[in-house]
């Protein structure tokens, strides 16, 4: 049957991945015995240093030596790339950013990239620039009888602020808080959201995108919940203001208020897998969505400086009661600090970084570039596409040129892909 054939193919894929991993481990061990000179590293940022350096030394004692900022390093970690570190980053074998991956974090760029994602449900999203364009958009939309809520997001904002719930009764008030030239995106409010103990929530998972478009998800993740109960009949704005404690699930924004639930730890397979305790099959749909995102971004990430470069992405998703998975936004990379400092939260963050060192950094040092071994916590989602990747220091600028051409094609009146179809109001 078709179903059994699909299961057989999935089993064959898992066997192939396990075989590749075993071969990579054997090669790794042989090269490890031959290599005598310590590898070099440079980690920027206090929090990243606290996460990475102790584990690097503990996992591989005597194998790593830290270098000065102006020296080349085999492995470089820097959340916000600086001009002074350019030479070191460009020469690194392993580095925590992909050239061109800014399009995955910038909310306006991501709203355009979603138009290339096929086979998965996507929230309707519209870029706007400045308060005037935002008001004009609202007048047109609400003037046609739309009553649906939207979420307005500042394209470059992460953490606290830069997000508003918008409806026909409050958009003019919100406009007063939007900058004259601010790049924003209007994203449809998730319909009928799945609730955690009566509250809205989103899933924050950790994903690694490799230079050759391989996608891996860390199986443990967080749920971030709103501070107050969500009741569809009582979520309208009062005095033109939506209650952020009901609608906003951002952990950084919520942690200073009563009712903050903290960082809720979940195993995605156990909770949302085919045999999961809640919303069966959701994890499979999450994998499908992230594979579609990698495929859509592929043409704009095709040129890289090393096969060992990768992108750690904090992906925020929301689930509706019918089991559909909705992409909200990405953080590249997510913050290395926890919102609570609780043991389980610290443990997950440490495990993610340990997994990156073991499964992505060390294999790159020996040129294996293998998927994680089967017993790791990284779930293999999308196969690497070596034919698409081109390692060329001089050609990486083409990523941006290709993106700009696509971006231009999405402008009104052009022939590029259109926004997702409007949902029912």
């Amino acid at each position: 049957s078709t179903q059994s054939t699909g299961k057989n193919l999935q089993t064959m894929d898992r066997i192939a991945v396990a075989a590749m991993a075993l071969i990579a481990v054997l090669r790794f061990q042989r090269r490890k015995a031959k290599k005598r000179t310590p590898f070099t590293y440079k980690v920027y940022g206090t929090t990243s240093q606290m996460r990475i350096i102790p584990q690097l030394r503990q996992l591989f004692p005597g194998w790593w030596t830290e270098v000065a900022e102006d020296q080349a390093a085999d492995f470089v970690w820097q959340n916000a790339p600086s001009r002074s570190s350019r030479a070191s980053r460009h020469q690194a074998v392993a580095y925590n950013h992909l050239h061109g991956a800014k399009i995955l974090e910038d909310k306006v760029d991501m709203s355009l990239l979603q138009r290339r994602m096929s086979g998965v449900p996507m929230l309707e999203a519209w870029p706007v620039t400045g308060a005037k364009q935002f008001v004009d958009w609202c007048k047109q939309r609400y003037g046609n009888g739309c009553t649906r809520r939207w979420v307005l997001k500042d394209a470059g904002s992460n953490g606290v602020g830069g997000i508003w719930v918008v409806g026909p009764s409050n958009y003019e008030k919100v406009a007063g808080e939007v900058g004259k030239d601010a790049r924003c995106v209007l994203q449809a409010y998730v319909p009928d959201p799945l609730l955690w103990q009566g509250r809205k929530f989103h899933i924050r998972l950790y994903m690694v995108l490799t230079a050759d478009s391989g996608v891996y998800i860390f199986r443990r993740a967080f749920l971030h919940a709103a501070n107050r109960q969500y009741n569809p009949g009582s979520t309208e704005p009062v005095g033109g203001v939506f209650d952020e404690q009901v609608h906003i699930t951002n952990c950084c924004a919520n942690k200073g208020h009563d009712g903050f639930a903290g960082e809720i730890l979940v195993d995605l397979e156990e909770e949302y897998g085919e045999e999961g305790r809640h919303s069966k099959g959701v994890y499979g749909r999450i994998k499908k969505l992230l594979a579609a995102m990698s495929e859509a971004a592929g043409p704009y990430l095709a040129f890289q400086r090393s096969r060992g470069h990768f992108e750690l992405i904090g992906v925020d998703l929301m689930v509706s009661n019918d089991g559909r998975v909705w992409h909200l936004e990405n953080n590249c990379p997510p913050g290395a600090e926890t919102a609570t400092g609780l043991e389980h939260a610290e443990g997950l963050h440490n495990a993610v970084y340990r997994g990156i060192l073991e499964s992505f950094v060390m294999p790159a040092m020996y040129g294996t570039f293998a998927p994680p071994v089967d017993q790791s916590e990284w779930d293999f989602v999308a196969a690497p596409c070596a034919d698409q990747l081109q390692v060329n220091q001089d050609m990486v600028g083409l990523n941006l040129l290709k993106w700009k051409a696509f971006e231009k094609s999405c402008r009104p009146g052009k022939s590029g892909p259109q926004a997702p179809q409007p949902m029912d109001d």
Side-chain angles (χ1 to χ4, degrees):
S1 67
T2 303
Q3 185 175 6
S4 62
T5 301
K7 289 183 177 178
N8 290 336
L9 290 173
Q10 290 177 358
T11 301
M12 292 172 64
D13 285 343
R14 286 195 292 268
I15 293 172
V17 170
M20 291 170 63
L22 178 59
I23 293 170
V25 169
L26 293 174
R27 289 176 178 171
F28 179 85
Q29 294 296 336
R30 285 200 300 269
R31 298 181 189 189
K32 175 180 176 182
K34 296 178 182 179
K35 182 80 175 183
R36 299 298 181 189
T37 305
F39 298 115
T40 56
Y41 72 88
K42 183 62 183 177
V43 179
Y44 296 83
T46 302
T47 306
S48 296
Q49 290 169 349
M50 292 173 61
R51 293 277 178 218
I52 296 172
I53 294 176
Q55 299 201 78
L56 202 60
R57 293 172 176 171
Q58 180 184 7
L59 292 168
F60 313 102
W63 282 59
W64 288 90
T65 299
E66 186 173 14
V67 298
E69 184 173 345
D70 59 348
Q71 293 180 288
D74 296 312
F75 167 46
V76 174
W77 187 285
Q78 187 175 35
N79 288 352
S82 65
R83 183 178 297 273
S84 61
S85 68
R86 178 180 296 175
S88 181
R89 291 185 283 107
H90 288 187
Q91 296 176 53
V93 176
Y95 170 53
N96 69 309
H97 286 303
L98 295 175
H99 191 277
K102 170 184 169 292
I103 62 173
L104 298 173
E105 180 170 50
D106 184 281
K107 296 175 182 63
V108 169
D109 289 346
M110 190 63 214
S111 72
L112 300 179
L113 184 67
Q114 287 177 347
R115 301 181 186 185
R116 286 179 43 85
M117 294 170 61
S118 59
V120 292
M122 299 304 304
L123 292 170
E124 187 181 354
W126 296 94
V128 293
T129 301
K132 184 180 185 305
Q133 195 173 107
F134 163 63
V135 170
D136 290 344
W137 185 93
C138 288
K139 286 181 177 179
Q140 181 181 24
R141 182 58 61 105
Y142 292 126
N144 291 333
C146 172
T147 59
R148 179 158 28 102
R149 291 187 293 266
W150 294 77
V151 179
L152 177 68
K153 299 179 178 180
D154 187 308
S157 176
N158 285 315
V160 181
I163 181 169
W164 301 266
V165 180
V166 175
S169 63
N170 77 323
Y171 71 84
E172 291 181 332
K173 180 180 178 63
V174 170
E177 302 177 33
V178 177
K180 179 181 177 182
D181 300 312
R183 294 175 64 251
C184 299
V185 64
L186 277 151
Q187 186 180 70
Y189 194 97
V190 173
D192 192 22
L194 188 67
L195 304 180
W196 175 85
Q197 297 185 4
R199 309 182 195 187
K200 276 186 60 181
F201 73 91
H202 75 260
I203 298 171
R204 158 58 64 90
L205 63 79
Y206 298 93
M207 161 186 160
V208 167
L209 178 64
T210 57
D212 52 9
S213 299
V215 178
Y216 306 87
I217 300 176
F218 200 75
R219 199 171 303 123
R220 284 185 288 158
F222 289 125
L223 300 187
H224 291 169
N227 288 341
R228 294 178 184 164
Q229 299 279 306
Y230 177 89
N231 184 337
S234 60
T235 57
E236 293 306 309
V238 177
V241 178
F242 283 94
D243 187 349
E244 293 184 351
Q245 304 303 305
V246 171
H247 295 278
I248 302 300
T249 57
N250 182 287
C251 200
C252 293
N254 289 346
K255 66 181 180 180
H257 299 272
D258 293 338
F260 177 53
E263 292 150 309
I264 304 153
L265 187 62
V266 294
D267 184 297
L268 293 171
E269 182 63 46
E270 290 181 2
E271 298 291 335
Y272 301 107
E274 292 299 329
E275 304 299 326
R277 289 189 285 267
H278 305 290
S279 301
K280 299 181 187 302
V282 163
Y283 191 30
R285 289 188 280 276
I286 289 174
K287 292 178 180 180
K288 184 177 180 180
L289 187 151
L290 298 182
M293 183 174 73
S294 172
E295 183 178 2
Y300 316 109
L301 306 175
F303 294 91
Q304 299 297 329
R305 293 188 169 91
S306 167
R307 282 193 66 195
H309 290 188
F310 60 90
E311 195 77 34
L312 170 63
I313 307 174
V315 183
D316 291 341
L317 307 165
M318 196 168 281
V319 183
S320 50
N321 270 310
D322 59 8
R324 286 182 293 177
V325 177
W326 305 98
H327 179 265
L328 301 181
E329 61 187 53
N330 300 321
N331 291 271
C332 307
E337 67 282 353
T338 67
T340 60
L342 294 176
E343 184 177 354
H344 73 273
E346 291 290 328
L348 175 53
H349 278 260
N350 285 333
V352 168
Y353 284 88
R354 181 171 63 250
I356 289 172
L357 296 175
E358 291 177 323
S359 298
F360 300 99
V361 174
M362 284 307 295
M365 294 299 104
Y366 288 98
T368 58
F369 306 102
V373 293
D374 192 48
Q375 60 265 34
S376 78
E377 288 194 79
W378 293 99
D379 277 345
F380 174 70
V381 175
C385 184
D387 293 340
Q388 180 174 278
L389 171 66
Q390 299 186 54
V391 179
N392 191 318
Q393 289 270 5
D394 300 323
M395 301 291 284
V396 293
L398 287 179
N399 291 337
L400 180 60
L401 290 177
K402 288 194 290 185
W403 173 255
K404 289 299 182 183
F406 170 73
E407 186 180 46
K408 185 176 181 179
S409 75
C410 293
R411 294 174 184 171
K414 299 293 183 178
S415 59
Q418 301 302 305
Q421 290 297 312
M423 302 173 182
D424 295 333
D425 288 332

